[in-house]
């Protein structure tokens, strides 16, 4: 466990550099666009400008997070096959888990930085604007169009659905890492057993077969879930909370099953690559 924690710490430090880099680019982009709007006199009030900053942060967060996933997925697969990292006194499966979890925690850290960057202008608006402060306390019910374009009462927010959506966001991110590793491990394992068959055509064919295999496995896994009449009836009535609950169960099963397969593949079949 000590070795696991030490390796996690080292990997997290490496992944957090990517987190800071992407976040700083995102923040710089938001500020440049915001100042451009100032020069164009788009906003008539400081509150409107601050709300625009929040909207831009939220809007660019999806792009920043996707870029982070792409970059760290490439980093993960490089580390997974690295001969240097394999020298750690741990099994290859545990190194894989450490590697994936460190990327995911750094991903959550990026999300936290984005939330903080949104809360700062909200706090500033709350402190300098009595109207905004009153709107916060009453549920945004009395804001003018020039100040903010939010017209939503706190009581109308379905917090259960918000929580489920956040958990879904977590499971989906893990599924992305797990799927990329599954493709990489499976392809390498098969190619290594086919001497002289490492051409792009063969690799592409193997990956195409794997896509079909994944789709088949997903269908089989979903069939394991019992048919719950309450789930079916609630989803049939358009209840988003129950729909998200079932979706969470399905993604949880996917992450556990394919994550376990990855551990087995990297432990038994995936060899380290030299000169990494």
């Amino acid at each position: 466990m000590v070795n696991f924690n030490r390796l996690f710490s080292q990997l997290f430090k490496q992944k957090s550099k990517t987190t800071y880099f992407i976040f700083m680019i995102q923040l710089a982009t938001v500020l440049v666009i915001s100042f451009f709007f100032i020069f164009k006199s788009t906003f008539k009030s400081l509150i409107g400008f601050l709300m625009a900053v929040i909207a831009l942060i939220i809007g660019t967060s999806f792009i920043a997070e996707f870029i982070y996933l792409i970059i760290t997925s490439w980093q993960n697969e490089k580390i997974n096959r690295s001969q240097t990292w394999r020298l750690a006194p741990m099994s290859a499966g545990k190194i894989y888990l450490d590697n994936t979890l460190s990327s995911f925690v750094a991903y959550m850290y990026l999300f936290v930085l984005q939330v903080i960057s949104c809360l700062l202008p909200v706090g500033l608006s709350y402190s300098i604007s009595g109207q905004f402060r009153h709107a916060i306390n009453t549920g945004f019910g009395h804001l003018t169009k020039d100040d903010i374009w939010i017209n939503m009462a706190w009581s109308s927010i379905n917090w259960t659905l918000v929580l489920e959506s956040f958990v879904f966001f977590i499971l989906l991110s893990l599924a992305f890492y797990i799927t990329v590793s599954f493709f990489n491990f499976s392809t390498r394992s098969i190619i290594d057993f086919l001497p002289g068959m490492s051409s792009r055509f063969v690799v592409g064919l193997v990956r195409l077969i794997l896509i079909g295999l994944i789709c088949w496995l997903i269908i089989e896994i979903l069939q394991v879930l019992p048919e719950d009449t309450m789930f079916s009836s609630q989803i049939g009535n358009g209840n988003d909370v129950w729909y998200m609950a079932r979706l969470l169960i399905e993604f949880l099963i996917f992450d556990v099953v394919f994550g376990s397969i990855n551990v087995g593949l990297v432990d038994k079949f995936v060899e380290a690559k030299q000169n990494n």
Side-chain angles (χ1 to χ4, degrees), residues 5 9 22 167 169 192 203 229 263 268:
N5 293 337
S9 178
I22 292 177
V167 176
F169 167 76
D192 288 344
V203 173
T229 56
V263 171
K268 302 296 183 181

Side-chain angles (χ1 to χ4, degrees), residues 73-132:
S73 292
W74 174 77
Q75 291 176 339
N76 284 354
E77 299 316 306
K78 188 175 181 180
I79 291 173
N80 285 332
R81 297 198 65 205
S82 170
Q83 193 175 54
T84 302
W85 287 102
R86 289 284 186 94
L87 294 176
M90 299 165 56
S91 67
K94 289 183 179 179
I95 294 175
Y96 160 73
L97 291 176
D98 242 341
N99 190 21
T100 303
L101 290 176
S102 62
S103 294
F104 177 73
V105 173
Y107 183 49
M108 290 294 101
Y109 184 41
L110 173 62
F111 176 75
V112 170
L113 291 176
Q114 292 168 340
V115 170
I116 293 175
S117 65
C118 287
L119 292 179
L120 289 177
V122 169
L124 180 60
S125 301
Y126 190 88
S127 63
I128 66 178
S129 173
Q131 185 179 12
F132 183 85

Side-chain angles (χ1 to χ4, degrees), residues 206-223:
V206 168
R207 288 177 176 170
L208 183 62
I209 294 173
L210 288 175
I211 291 175
L213 177 62
I214 289 177
C215 293
W216 176 78
L217 285 174
I218 291 175
I219 294 174
E220 292 298 316
I221 290 171
L222 295 183
Q223 289 179 352

